[in-house]
Amino acid sequence: MGTNGQNVLERRRAEALVKRPELPETFVAPAGDIYETSDAFVVKLDMPGATTEAISLNVEPGHFFVRARLGSYHGDRAAILMSEIGRKSYFREFNLGRGVNHNAVQAQFADGVLTIILPKTEESKVREIQIKS
Amino acid sequence: MLVRFGFPRMLDDLLEDVSSSDFAPVTRRFPAIDVAEYENEFVAIAEMPGIKKEDLKITFENDVLTLKGERTPYEIPQDAKVLLNEMRVREFERSLQLPSDIDAKNISAELKDGVLRVVLPKAENARARQIEIR
């Protein structure tokens, strides 16, 4: 097991090796929730207006990113009276620890919310140690 | 009393003018709304991720469209640890005054992929007419 110092360097190295995706010109980072259970990390992202087809999720060792390109809500002949949404794409990137089995990641999209389930590897699951008397 | 404006104006804008202080945190309104005008109708688009049909109530009264609802929290296992919590909105209510007479009986709404689309047809007397020159 490495010390904390080594972990930081390893992470930096992993980050340096990551291929950065080409960013869309205007994008927003979707708001998200993350929680951890005994066997997975669950990431939820608010992505209203996206569709299953428009979303791409790239998972690689060390990181993953989500992006979606969005079309306009309005027709060509629309006169826009109020614009709070604007036209935008979504992009957000997360680092992944080594404890995630990146080959078994699952995702689903419902009601404008993307849910990504990142299962933990067997080795990284918390084990309770029996104390022998 | 409601005042008719040339453009759609949010009632909560007016309230905020009165109640805002220098110390109030900047909060993003929910849901964010776009309004587009077409020849025969207005279309209001509201982004509301995580909202289901049964969580939302839409009313139209005196030219004012009101969206009211609540985002029900999703369930997480009891032993789960929360690592990030940015999805904060629970209850919301926004009102929007339309600038022209609306055919209220024919308003329709659709909620899909977290986006609400309300189509408000203009009343017959509010539609643009081409005048023939004799």
Side-chain angles (χ1 to χ4, degrees):
Chain A
M1 211 186 278
T3 65
N4 279 340
Q6 276 171 335
N7 283 340
V8 170
L9 287 182
E10 276 174 26
R11 200 183 307 144
R12 292 270 184 281
R13 181 168 165 268
E15 279 172 14
L17 293 174
V18 156
K19 266 180 267 159
R20 296 281 149 181
E22 206 180 296
L23 293 178
E25 264 177 41
T26 56
F27 67 91
V28 292
D33 279 8
I34 303 178
Y35 63 86
E36 179 183 358
T37 68
S38 53
D39 47 25
F41 293 91
V42 180
V43 178
K44 284 177 173 283
L45 295 170
D46 278 347
M47 299 173 73
T51 56
T52 311
E53 300 77 44
I55 298 172
S56 62
L57 171 63
N58 291 60
V59 186
E60 290 165 33
H63 85 138
F64 72 94
F65 63 84
V66 175
R67 77 163 131 189
R69 290 183 193 281
L70 303 186
S72 172
Y73 287 124
H74 309 295
D76 292 339
R77 306 187 65 186
I80 308 299
L81 304 185
M82 189 163 100
S83 177
E84 295 176 347
I85 301 170
R87 193 162 180 255
K88 60 182 188 256
S89 297
Y90 293 118
F91 180 84
R92 192 154 180 183
E93 186 178 23
F94 296 90
N95 287 326
L96 269 187
R98 276 206 240 164
V100 169
N101 179 359
H102 68 270
N103 291 317
V105 174
Q106 289 175 6
Q108 65 184 59
F109 186 66
D111 301 324
V113 180
L114 180 69
T115 302
I116 307 162
I117 299 164
L118 305 132
K120 293 181 184 176
T121 55
E122 278 307 314
E123 302 81 64
S124 71
K125 287 181 188 172
V126 174
R127 251 165 295 209
E128 197 170 336
I129 313 296
Q130 293 294 324
I131 303 165
K132 286 184 213 166
S133 54
Chain B
M1 202 182 101
L2 296 171
V3 184
R4 183 177 281 261
F5 292 95
F7 283 89
R9 171 122 197 220
M10 308 304 298
L11 295 182
D12 49 13
D13 281 352
L14 300 177
L15 295 178
E16 191 167 88
D17 288 345
V18 179
S19 63
S20 67
S21 83
D22 291 345
F23 304 103
V26 178
T27 50
R28 193 169 170 265
R29 292 212 185 84
F30 187 93
I33 297 176
D34 272 15
V35 178
E37 180 174 2
Y38 295 86
E39 197 180 342
N40 294 324
E41 66 209 18
F42 295 93
V43 177
I45 308 274
E47 286 192 337
M48 38 180 77
I51 307 293
K52 292 176 172 56
K53 215 168 112 182
E54 52 273 23
D55 301 331
L56 176 66
K57 200 177 146 198
I58 307 169
T59 54
F60 187 80
E61 197 184 358
N62 295 330
D63 291 344
V64 175
L65 175 73
T66 300
L67 311 176
K68 189 177 175 180
E70 189 173 0
R71 182 172 186 175
T72 36
Y74 54 86
E75 286 188 13
I76 66 172
Q78 259 191 337
D79 61 340
K81 236 188 302 178
V82 174
L83 305 178
L84 181 71
N85 181 14
E86 296 170 346
M87 300 176 172
R88 284 175 191 282
V89 170
R90 293 286 179 253
E91 282 178 50
F92 62 89
E93 180 171 348
R94 288 197 76 179
S95 292
L96 173 69
Q97 176 144 24
L98 276 299
S100 163
D101 284 344
I102 300 297
D103 177 7
K105 279 184 192 147
N106 288 308
I107 296 173
S108 62
E110 185 194 21
L111 181 62
K112 197 185 168 206
D113 291 330
V115 179
L116 176 73
R117 183 184 179 87
V118 185
V119 178
L120 306 113
K122 293 180 187 174
E124 203 54 51
N125 62 3
R127 293 188 183 186
R129 245 171 285 226
Q130 189 160 354
I131 313 295
E132 278 189 43
I133 303 164
R134 277 189 281 186

